[in-house]
Amino acid sequence: MIGRTPLLNIATHVILVFGLIVILVPIWLAFVAATQTLQAVNSAPVEFWPGDQLWVNLREAWAASDFGPKFVNTLIVATGVVIGKITLACITAFALVFFNFRGRMLIFWMIFITLMLPLEVRIVPTYAVAANALTPFQTIMDWTGITWLINTLSGVEVALEWNLLNSYTGLILPLVATATGTFLYRQFFLTIPDELVEAARMDGAGPMRFLWDVLIPLSKTNIAALATIMFVYAWNQYLWPLLVVTDRANYGMVVVQLSDLVPDQLTTGGGTPTWHLAMAATLVVMLPPIAIVILMQRWFVRGLINTDK
């Protein structure tokens, strides 16, 4: 326990205020730029007070980026990632904690090691799998000679193919396969007392009933925390959608679409950069994650510290 002293309190508040300024100043500058006209946003010195063109710029940025279907696509992907991640992590952690089988710790550490392999590190093999999700099965069949045997007996050439590019499945599945949720759930399940497990067993509860009637209600705050983290993570994805989606009219995501509004030599053609539209679009894209964090703030904090048990 660190003792509270006036000097330490002052130092703490100075650090908090400094961190708040570092976070809020770029957001404020983006807001001010979004309220300026094209001439004002490109003039010097930089304006620090908002203008009166916010709604005009928001409407123009929304129309220029065709944000309507992109928001729907991003919401579908973010929701799919949240549901898939919570379900997969809960079931995996349940098996690791409450079932005693050989190799349990080895499986846990193999899952845990994937925390050091984010999607950006394994993006090339992940893309190869997304291009044909059945490649591993095709490789196994080739190695074991099954394809040769089928071809010899029936004359049929087996070529398994499942292309996940330009699909919601291809956007969602690689983001679901992470160890963050499994580790979070496992640490919480380990705190469940043995007496509660024994009482459920004496009441005749099987594994699935124990999971559904006991663990899930106790894990509500953990679910809320994980849902918040994964929604923001999926919403802000840029590299993976940029790689797997070429049909951006039907499967485009908002962050990738936002990058098209950032002025560069290609978009401006040597003209005046439209930073006021880029900043207006940035404000629109930021709103859903901020709203989710604000709405889930209380459950998010309680889920991370595991006090609601």
Side-chain angles (χ1 to χ4, degrees), residues 10 25 37 40 60 75 93 105 107 114 147 191 210 221 226 230 232 245 253 290 298 300 302-304 307:
I10 293 174
V25 166
T37 61
E60 188 174 352
L75 185 62
M105 290 307 298
I107 294 174
T114 61
T147 53
T191 65
F210 176 65
T221 53
L226 183 59
M230 297 311 299
V232 176
V245 173
M253 304 268 287
I290 291 176
R298 186 177 63 175
F300 176 73
R302 291 169 65 182
L304 291 181
T307 58

Side-chain angles (χ1 to χ4, degrees), residues 174-258:
L175 303 181
V176 170
T178 63
T180 310
T182 303
F183 182 72
L184 183 66
Y185 269 105
R186 178 183 178 273
Q187 296 307 109
F188 174 72
F189 286 167
L190 287 174
T191 65
I192 300 295
D194 294 337
E195 291 80 4
L196 184 60
V197 180
E198 188 63 28
R201 186 179 294 118
M202 292 178 65
D203 286 342
M208 296 310 298
R209 183 183 168 192
F210 176 65
L211 171 66
W212 187 257
D213 290 345
V214 178
L215 293 182
I216 296 297
L218 290 175
S219 306
K220 285 181 179 177
T221 53
N222 297 80
I223 293 173
L226 183 59
T228 305
I229 294 172
M230 297 311 299
F231 184 88
V232 176
Y233 169 72
W235 187 273
N236 292 328
Q237 280 297 310
Y238 172 74
L239 183 58
W240 182 245
L242 180 68
L243 191 64
V244 301
V245 173
T246 56
D247 183 10
R248 290 171 62 175
N250 293 317
Y251 298 100
M253 304 268 287
V254 287
V255 176
V256 178
Q257 196 69 19
L258 174 63

Side-chain angles (χ1 to χ4, degrees), residues 128-142 160-162:
V129 173
N132 184 5
L134 298 180
T135 298
F137 300 99
Q138 180 72 47
T139 304
I140 293 174
M141 293 178 66
D142 293 341
L160 303 178
E161 184 175 357
W162 185 19

Side-chain angles (χ1 to χ4, degrees), residues 35-297:
T35 62
Q36 304 291 330
T37 61
L38 176 63
Q39 292 75 22
V41 78
N42 287 285
S43 62
V46 176
E47 292 283 347
F48 286 95
W49 296 106
D52 57 356
Q53 299 296 308
L54 177 62
W55 296 113
V56 175
N57 294 336
L58 288 176
R59 286 198 297 267
E60 188 174 352
W62 183 278
S65 298
D66 191 22
F67 267 147
K70 309 303 184 293
F71 265 76
V72 174
N73 291 337
T74 309
L75 185 62
I76 292 173
V77 172
T79 305
V81 170
V82 169
I83 294 174
K85 186 62 195 175
I86 289 174
T87 304
L88 183 65
C90 182
I91 294 175
T92 307
F94 177 62
L96 290 173
V97 173
F98 294 101
F99 290 84
N100 189 15
F101 55 91
R102 186 174 299 177
R104 183 177 60 169
M105 290 307 298
L106 175 63
I107 294 174
F108 167 70
W109 283 110
M110 290 178 65
I111 296 173
F112 185 79
I113 288 174
T114 61
L115 283 173
M116 293 176 281
L117 298 172
L119 180 61
E120 290 75 12
V121 174
R122 51 185 168 84
I123 197 164
V124 173
T126 304
Y127 177 83
V129 173
N132 184 5
L134 298 180
T135 298
F137 300 99
Q138 180 72 47
T139 304
I140 293 174
M141 293 178 66
D142 293 341
W143 282 357
T144 56
I146 296 177
T147 53
W148 172 83
L149 183 62
I150 294 176
N151 189 27
T152 303
L153 296 177
S154 63
V156 176
E157 185 71 28
V158 178
L160 303 178
E161 184 175 357
W162 185 19
N163 188 353
L164 299 180
L165 304 181
N166 289 318
S167 68
Y168 293 124
T169 307
L171 285 167
I172 293 173
L173 282 184
L175 303 181
V176 170
T178 63
T180 310
T182 303
F183 182 72
L184 183 66
Y185 269 105
R186 178 183 178 273
Q187 296 307 109
F188 174 72
F189 286 167
L190 287 174
T191 65
I192 300 295
D194 294 337
E195 291 80 4
L196 184 60
V197 180
E198 188 63 28
R201 186 179 294 118
M202 292 178 65
D203 286 342
M208 296 310 298
R209 183 183 168 192
F210 176 65
L211 171 66
W212 187 257
D213 290 345
V214 178
L215 293 182
I216 296 297
L218 290 175
S219 306
K220 285 181 179 177
T221 53
N222 297 80
I223 293 173
L226 183 59
T228 305
I229 294 172
M230 297 311 299
F231 184 88
V232 176
Y233 169 72
W235 187 273
N236 292 328
Q237 280 297 310
Y238 172 74
L239 183 58
W240 182 245
L242 180 68
L243 191 64
V244 301
V245 173
T246 56
D247 183 10
R248 290 171 62 175
N250 293 317
Y251 298 100
M253 304 268 287
V254 287
V255 176
V256 178
Q257 196 69 19
L258 174 63
S259 67
D260 289 347
L261 281 180
V262 176
D264 57 20
Q265 191 63 30
L266 294 177
T267 56
T268 62
T272 306
T274 55
W275 284 111
H276 59 310
L277 298 182
M279 294 300 107
T282 302
L283 295 180
V284 174
V285 173
M286 287 169 53
L287 287 180
I290 291 176
I292 290 295
V293 171
I294 292 175
L295 290 174
M296 304 290 286
Q297 181 186 14

